[in-house]
Amino acid sequence: MASTEELQTLVLTTLDRENEIQDSKDLKTVAGEPLEQLALLGVLNSLKSKEMVDYSAIDRELWTLSKEGEQVAEQGSHEARVFEAIPIGAEGIPMSEVQAILGKAASIGQGKAFKNGWIKKNGSNLVRATDSIVDQTKNDLQEIKKTSTHSNAKILTDLKKRKLVDKQKVTTYKVTKGPQFSLEIKKEATDITFEMLQSGEWKNASFKKYNFDAAGAAPAGGHLHPLMKVRQEFREIFFEMGFEEMPTNCFAESSFWNFDALFQPQQHPARDAHDTFFLKDPATTDRFPRDLMERIKVTHENGGDTGSTGYNYTWKEEDAGKLLLRTHTTAVSSYMLYKLAEKTKKEGVFRPAKYFSIDRVFRNESVDATHLAEFHQIEGVICDRNLTLGDLIGFMDVFFKKMGMDKIRFKPTYNPYTEPSMEIFSYHDGLKKWVEIGNSGMFRPEMLLPLGLPPDVRVIAWGLGLERPTMVKYGISNIRDLLGHKVKIDMIKEYPICRLDKKMGKELVGTSEQ
């Protein structure tokens, strides 16, 4: 195959000698071989961009022989070979012997030979019906091989049906001189460099023209992190069940909403620096409702109007004002319930609500294969009148079945702001055991009544991590391979989309065996 430089020289010298190239199919390499037209097109485009040549395409249809057609053109048609296999004389030859001699060609050519009147039957034998034949098929194929066409279109159609020839579209080119024609190809600059500007060379330099019709390089597409893929599946489940997504775009939160509004005492261990990330600048805030603060203060100290005795300690506003990175998205849930209570007071009508959030939370924990200092929490709350523990269990059953978890169990546990509280377990078929997948409970009156909700309104809530189901879904054993500075970018590109094994309709009727 000729190189690009050789093709450029061939085109330019031929144009210089003959003034134009009528048809590039007539061009030959130095070795006398025909040119590859696709390689020639690249050279012509390059020369045309320099205005050295111009060209136009010449499209034509050519007929070529198939592999079987090449064999027929050389050895003869199947029908002619059948005729030649039959000896001269009245006795002929058994059909089985013709099959043995010619193989597959015997069955193909026999019918055509009968149709042409070349052979006939004599009992079980085949005999010649004429002394000599003209193998027109072979002659036609040899003509097509030589000229790439045939004068009789019907013959071409017939041979194509027999899969002996194929029609191909071939493009060659008529080439003429351009306004900047020269035997010497000047090197064109593609960019203005610092050196060109400094020396002034750019004033006399020849620059390569931009080809605005050329196809650009395909940009690398963005990729969703596996956590975001699984997150979207959970969001679809919540939306499908009529939930409203809570605004969780503020990672910094006050201790007031993160702890105090949830009836979590100020001396609780979770509020120590070894469990929580506190901010240094700014370190505190007083941006929370004063009337609500007073109600929460009284509830912590003596229970207030909730019927509780509280925690019997002196509640401090300075502790509530400490800023931190939120340790759970329940801080947002408490704020949303407060806004719901204010809306109820304003309108005079309570309307049930369903909220959810999926976002990042922060804990001052030691990092290992299953724990990080930051992770994602999935949380859902339902607020309505006279809800019971049975409503929570029934809803959890439906919710987790939509995630493909059929076997669900609940175990009593303790949470500071829910009572009763339950851990949620699902049976893992791979591990052959029950594994904890989340936590749930009913918000305590000491939390709800200070927020201003009506006394008969109950709130059921549950939460789980996003990382664990993602690790199970994608077969990741170390959480640091999923989130953090050790994550490999290739992993994000290569992991497939997430599809949870959701169940709907009749499959969701009833609750799991407890």
XYZ file of all heavy atoms in Angstrom, residues 21-27 35 37 56-64 147-149 166-174:
246
model
N -6.759 14.862 -13.931
C -6.920 13.404 -13.842
C -8.389 13.120 -14.117
O -9.260 13.462 -13.300
C -6.509 12.873 -12.452
C -5.035 13.192 -12.173
C -6.741 11.371 -12.343
C -4.588 12.874 -10.754
N -8.668 12.537 -15.288
C -10.057 12.288 -15.689
C -10.756 11.311 -14.742
O -11.906 11.509 -14.371
C -10.098 11.752 -17.122
C -9.781 12.780 -18.188
C -10.896 13.808 -18.339
O -12.029 13.598 -17.909
N -10.564 14.956 -18.936
N -10.057 10.257 -14.360
C -10.666 9.243 -13.477
C -9.542 8.590 -12.684
O -8.602 8.021 -13.263
C -11.410 8.190 -14.289
C -12.350 7.355 -13.421
O -12.042 7.178 -12.224
O -13.375 6.868 -13.946
N -9.648 8.656 -11.360
C -8.569 8.133 -10.519
C -8.449 6.614 -10.586
O -7.464 6.059 -10.107
C -8.784 8.570 -9.061
O -10.026 8.054 -8.571
N -9.431 5.936 -11.194
C -9.323 4.475 -11.318
C -8.168 4.096 -12.241
O -7.652 2.971 -12.185
C -10.640 3.872 -11.816
C -10.957 4.106 -13.284
C -12.252 3.434 -13.683
C -12.595 3.706 -15.154
N -11.600 3.192 -16.096
N -7.747 5.025 -13.104
C -6.655 4.741 -14.037
C -5.284 4.958 -13.422
O -4.265 4.614 -14.032
C -6.793 5.623 -15.283
C -8.114 5.372 -16.012
O -8.543 4.202 -16.029
O -8.701 6.335 -16.536
N -5.237 5.569 -12.227
C -3.953 5.790 -11.573
C -3.385 4.478 -11.040
O -4.120 3.640 -10.519
C -4.103 6.785 -10.419
C -4.344 8.261 -10.787
C -4.528 9.082 -9.519
C -3.182 8.811 -11.618
N -4.847 1.994 -7.155
C -4.877 2.717 -5.885
C -6.090 2.333 -5.050
O -7.150 2.017 -5.586
C -4.926 4.225 -6.133
C -3.738 4.860 -6.863
C -3.959 6.363 -6.945
C -2.438 4.542 -6.158
N -8.977 3.720 -3.252
C -9.653 5.014 -3.425
C -9.896 5.723 -2.095
O -9.913 6.953 -2.040
C -10.969 4.809 -4.174
C -10.796 4.257 -5.595
C -10.005 5.198 -6.488
O -10.222 6.412 -6.488
N -9.055 4.641 -7.249
N -13.974 16.076 -7.878
C -15.392 15.720 -7.832
C -15.501 14.206 -7.870
O -14.651 13.519 -8.462
C -16.158 16.349 -9.006
O -15.582 15.940 -10.235
N -16.540 13.668 -7.244
C -16.708 12.220 -7.152
C -17.349 11.663 -8.421
O -18.212 12.303 -9.041
C -17.555 11.867 -5.934
N -16.935 10.472 -8.792
C -17.534 9.717 -9.901
C -18.068 8.415 -9.311
O -17.295 7.548 -8.885
C -16.498 9.409 -11.004
C -15.864 10.698 -11.529
C -17.146 8.629 -12.132
C -14.691 10.456 -12.471
N -19.374 8.294 -9.241
C -20.002 7.091 -8.676
C -20.407 6.153 -9.799
O -21.003 6.564 -10.798
C -21.233 7.467 -7.844
C -20.861 8.284 -6.615
O -19.795 8.013 -6.041
O -21.634 9.191 -6.248
N -20.094 4.873 -9.619
C -20.521 3.859 -10.586
C -20.807 2.561 -9.856
O -20.314 2.331 -8.745
C -19.447 3.658 -11.657
C -18.096 3.226 -11.115
C -17.164 2.753 -12.243
N -16.842 3.814 -13.153
C -15.829 4.667 -12.982
N -15.071 4.570 -11.893
N -15.566 5.602 -13.860
N -21.644 1.741 -10.504
C -21.958 0.429 -9.952
C -21.162 -0.624 -10.717
O -21.200 -0.680 -11.946
C -23.454 0.134 -10.063
C -24.298 0.983 -9.126
C -25.776 0.651 -9.221
O -26.157 -0.046 -10.192
O -26.543 1.073 -8.341
N -20.458 -1.466 -9.985
C -19.660 -2.534 -10.582
C -20.154 -3.885 -10.088
O -20.639 -4.002 -8.962
C -18.179 -2.364 -10.202
C -17.504 -1.060 -10.620
C -16.049 -1.078 -10.197
C -17.602 -0.861 -12.133
N -20.033 -4.868 -10.961
C -20.425 -6.235 -10.608
C -19.157 -7.049 -10.364
O -18.212 -7.013 -11.148
C -21.253 -6.864 -11.736
C -22.611 -6.233 -11.866
C -22.926 -5.123 -12.569
C -23.811 -6.672 -11.234
N -24.255 -4.828 -12.443
C -24.837 -5.774 -11.619
C -24.150 -7.728 -10.396
C -26.150 -5.904 -11.200
C -25.457 -7.867 -9.964
C -26.444 -6.957 -10.361
N -19.150 -7.775 -9.272
C -18.008 -8.623 -8.929
C -18.485 -10.045 -8.699
O -19.659 -10.285 -8.377
C -17.312 -8.114 -7.654
O -18.257 -8.095 -6.574
C -16.754 -6.716 -7.853
N -14.919 -7.183 -17.298
C -15.444 -5.828 -17.545
C -16.189 -5.209 -16.359
O -16.582 -4.047 -16.413
C -16.403 -5.850 -18.751
O -17.547 -6.665 -18.427
C -15.705 -6.431 -19.981
N -16.441 -5.999 -15.323
C -17.193 -5.559 -14.133
C -18.654 -5.266 -14.449
O -19.334 -4.610 -13.650
C -16.543 -4.323 -13.490
O -15.244 -4.634 -13.053
N -19.140 -5.721 -15.596
C -20.553 -5.544 -15.937
C -20.918 -6.544 -17.027
O -20.096 -7.377 -17.428
C -20.847 -4.106 -16.392
O -22.254 -3.943 -16.546
C -20.138 -3.786 -17.706
N -22.192 -10.135 -7.192
C -22.660 -9.099 -6.263
C -22.474 -7.735 -6.920
O -21.539 -7.539 -7.703
C -21.864 -9.125 -4.957
C -22.178 -10.365 -4.131
O -23.360 -10.659 -3.951
O -21.216 -11.027 -3.672
N -23.380 -6.827 -6.564
C -23.298 -5.465 -7.092
C -22.660 -4.574 -6.032
O -23.068 -4.598 -4.864
C -24.680 -4.948 -7.467
C -24.665 -3.553 -8.088
C -25.996 -3.206 -8.732
C -27.112 -3.124 -7.717
N -28.372 -2.630 -8.316
N -21.668 -3.800 -6.420
C -20.975 -2.904 -5.503
C -20.957 -1.487 -6.057
O -20.855 -1.283 -7.262
C -19.531 -3.373 -5.273
C -19.415 -4.691 -4.532
C -17.975 -5.066 -4.271
O -17.063 -4.507 -4.858
N -17.778 -6.027 -3.384
N -21.053 -0.525 -5.111
C -20.954 0.876 -5.491
C -19.501 1.308 -5.314
O -18.916 1.150 -4.231
C -21.867 1.741 -4.625
C -21.840 3.216 -5.013
C -22.772 4.026 -4.125
C -22.696 5.507 -4.479
N -23.575 6.336 -3.621
N -18.890 1.845 -6.350
C -17.494 2.254 -6.315
C -17.420 3.742 -6.634
O -18.084 4.227 -7.565
C -16.653 1.445 -7.325
C -15.214 1.959 -7.339
C -16.691 -0.031 -6.977
N -16.627 4.456 -5.860
C -16.448 5.892 -6.072
C -14.997 6.172 -6.440
O -14.080 5.794 -5.706
C -16.823 6.694 -4.818
O -18.182 6.409 -4.463
C -16.668 8.187 -5.054
N -14.811 6.806 -7.556
C -13.491 7.297 -7.954
C -13.598 8.809 -8.130
O -14.666 9.390 -7.897
C -13.019 6.628 -9.255
O -14.017 6.830 -10.275
C -12.811 5.132 -9.056
N -12.522 9.471 -8.560
C -12.508 10.927 -8.510
C -11.880 11.537 -9.757
O -10.907 11.010 -10.309
C -11.745 11.396 -7.268
C -12.292 10.777 -6.010
C -11.720 9.616 -5.491
C -13.396 11.320 -5.381
C -12.245 9.016 -4.361
C -13.929 10.736 -4.246
C -13.352 9.577 -3.741
O -13.883 8.981 -2.636
N -12.496 12.648 -10.182
C -11.903 13.495 -11.208
C -11.176 14.623 -10.483
O -11.757 15.317 -9.649
C -12.979 14.070 -12.133
C -12.410 14.989 -13.211
C -13.517 15.546 -14.098
C -12.918 16.488 -15.157
N -13.974 17.063 -16.034
